[in-house]
């Protein structure tokens, strides 16, 4: 059996997997530990959809041949789920306000699927002074038809519209956070980071001239921005980490080595080892982060 993840062959050691379903479960567990999730599966050149699993799930491992997985960061999948849910809720709210029977007849049968996703994100959430949002929507929309919506009393209709507005507002905020955490690097973020990186080169001089507070400020600013930059760069190259290497090392490995140096820098500050602080900033950390920036800039302009 051959397994590819994002077109990269992986060494997968069978343990207790006997069937197609067992293998899917094990691969998904492995991906989840790496912060990833399956987005698409291809088996011997044919895509497999959830509806197909009951028919092929019992296939023995010896008959599988090749399995190809497409995977993406969990946050990206959540972001896409939320975007779809928000789009649905906004359309539903507008259709209810306008009492558009045609749109309602299309949207209301989709509510059970939307309800499941909604419950996952807002399981016990209630606005102060109101009932649980998901429960309100379920009570008023489950099994509803356009005609039933038209028969709602004014108070019930107001409650429904209010619950939809609350859900849209809260989920919109969650979606914005996910997009920020999973954002694509831009030249603006790099332009903001580069002068902060350059400032690291001044740290030894600042320490030698007694300007400890300025040195600490420069390092604190760098640490904050560098971590956000590394997280976004990691997301950017997570679908094909082997395709992005520095000094012969995959991005993840190179990034970890930089994080280890940052931890060493914190330890040096605690010990007030100013010589080590200066050496780390000037000869270790600054050159490494500069190489990552150059690689990312090259990828963005490609």
């Amino acid at each position: 059996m051959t397994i590819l993840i994002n077109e990269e062959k992986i060494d997968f050691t069978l343990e207790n997997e006997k069937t197609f379903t067992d293998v899917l479960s094990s691969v998904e567990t492995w991906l989840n530990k790496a912060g990833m999730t399956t987005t698409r599966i291809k088996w011997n050149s044919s895509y497999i959809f959830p509806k197909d699993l009951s028919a092929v799930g019992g296939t023995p491992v010896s008959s599988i041949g090749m399995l190809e997985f497409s995977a993406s960061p969990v946050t990206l999948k959540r972001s896409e789920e939320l975007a779809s849910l928000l789009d649905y809720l906004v359309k539903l709210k507008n259709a209810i306000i306008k009492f558009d029977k045609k749109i309602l007849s299309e949207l209301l049968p989709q509510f059970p699927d939307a309800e499941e996703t909604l419950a996952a994100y807002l399981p016990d959430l209630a606005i102060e002074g109101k009932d649980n949002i998901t429960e309100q929507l379920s009570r008023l929309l489950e099994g509803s038809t356009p005609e039933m919506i038209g028969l709602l009393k004014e108070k019930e209709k107001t409650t429904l519209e209010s619950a939809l507005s609350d859900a849209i507002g809260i989920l919109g905020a969650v979606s914005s956070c996910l997009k920020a955490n999973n954002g694509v690097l831009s030249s603006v973020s790099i332009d903001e980071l580069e002068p902060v990186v350059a400032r690291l080169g001044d740290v030894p001089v600042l320490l030698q001239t007694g300007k400890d507070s300025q040195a600490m400020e420069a390092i604190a600013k760098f640490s904050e921005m560098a971590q956000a930059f590394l997280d976004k760069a990691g997301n950017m190259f997570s679908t094909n980490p082997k395709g992005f290497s520095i000094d012969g090392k995959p991005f993840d490995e190179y990034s970890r080595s930089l994080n280890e140096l940052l931890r060493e820098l914190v330890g040096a500050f605690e010990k007030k080892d100013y010589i080590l602080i200066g050496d780390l900033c000037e000869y270790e950390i600054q050159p490494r982060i500069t190489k990552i920036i150059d690689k990312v800039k090259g990828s963005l302009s490609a």
Side-chain angles (χ1 to χ4, degrees):
M1 179 179 63
T2 301
I3 292 181
L4 301 180
I5 296 180
N6 293 334
E7 300 182 356
E8 294 284 344
K9 184 178 179 180
I10 66 166
D11 295 324
F12 186 80
T13 303
L14 292 175
E15 294 181 355
N16 300 313
E17 293 83 7
K18 305 294 184 185
T19 66
F20 189 96
T21 298
D22 293 339
V23 173
L24 294 190
S25 178
S26 294
V27 171
E28 182 66 15
T29 298
W30 181 79
L31 285 169
N32 289 165
K33 289 179 180 178
M36 306 282 284
T37 189
T38 303
T39 56
R40 193 165 57 176
I41 302 169
K42 186 188 287 187
W43 178 27
N44 294 336
S45 302
S46 297
Y47 287 110
I48 300 297
F49 300 97
K51 62 182 178 62
D52 304 320
L53 292 179
S54 59
V56 303
T59 303
V61 169
S62 58
S63 301
I64 290 178
M66 179 180 287
L67 270 177
E68 300 176 63
F69 293 82
S70 295
S72 64
V74 172
T75 52
L76 180 59
K77 183 175 181 180
R78 289 175 181 166
S79 183
E80 291 171 347
E81 282 180 346
L82 273 177
S84 296
L85 179 59
L86 278 167
D87 181 63
Y88 171 80
L89 293 176
V90 169
K91 288 179 179 177
L92 181 60
K93 179 186 174 184
N94 290 336
I96 289 172
I97 291 172
K98 297 175 182 177
F99 191 50
D100 188 323
K101 287 187 177 182
K102 181 180 178 182
I103 300 298
L104 284 172
S105 65
E106 295 172 359
L107 295 178
L108 288 172
Q110 300 173 33
F111 180 71
D113 291 334
E115 181 183 23
E116 186 176 335
T117 307
L118 188 64
Y121 285 99
L122 306 178
D124 302 306
L125 192 60
I127 303 297
E128 188 174 353
K130 300 181 182 179
D131 294 333
N132 178 286
I133 294 173
T134 305
E135 289 178 359
Q136 289 183 66
L137 293 176
S138 298
R139 185 173 65 249
L140 294 167
L141 291 174
E142 220 168 53
S144 285
T145 63
E147 290 72 25
M148 292 170 69
I149 295 295
L151 293 173
L152 287 176
K153 295 178 181 178
E154 192 61 34
K155 184 178 180 180
E156 291 175 322
K157 187 179 178 184
T158 299
T159 298
L160 176 56
E161 292 174 7
S162 177
L164 284 168
S165 295
D166 290 339
I168 290 167
I170 295 166
L171 292 173
V174 174
S175 179
S176 296
C177 290
L178 283 175
K179 286 178 181 177
N181 289 335
N182 201 51
V184 177
L185 285 166
S186 67
S187 58
V188 174
S189 62
I190 293 174
D191 289 344
E192 292 171 348
L193 178 60
E194 284 183 310
V196 177
V197 172
R199 182 71 168 159
L200 278 185
D202 298 333
V203 167
V205 175
L206 291 172
L207 292 173
Q208 291 166 12
T209 54
K211 298 177 180 178
D212 298 5
S213 60
Q214 292 183 36
M216 292 181 68
E217 182 182 342
I219 291 173
K221 182 68 173 176
F222 166 78
S223 297
E224 178 185 351
M225 294 187 69
Q227 192 56 62
F229 173 80
L230 290 173
D231 288 344
K232 289 185 178 182
N235 284 337
M236 181 178 179
F237 295 102
S238 60
T239 55
N240 188 13
K242 292 183 180 178
F244 180 58
S245 62
I246 301 175
D247 293 342
K249 296 180 180 179
F251 173 79
D252 285 350
E253 183 180 339
Y254 197 85
S255 177
R256 281 197 299 272
S257 69
L258 181 56
N259 280 325
E260 288 170 5
L261 288 170
L262 290 173
R263 284 193 289 272
E264 188 176 350
L265 181 63
V266 172
F269 253 111
E270 292 173 349
K271 297 175 183 177
K272 296 185 178 180
D273 188 340
Y274 294 152
I275 294 176
L276 179 57
I277 291 170
D279 287 346
L280 286 172
C281 287
E282 188 173 5
Y283 302 115
E284 297 288 348
I285 296 173
Q286 188 184 46
R288 293 187 188 220
I289 193 71
T290 299
K291 286 184 178 181
I292 294 178
I293 289 173
D294 289 343
K295 279 283 187 178
V296 171
K297 287 171 72 174
S299 296
L300 289 172
S301 61

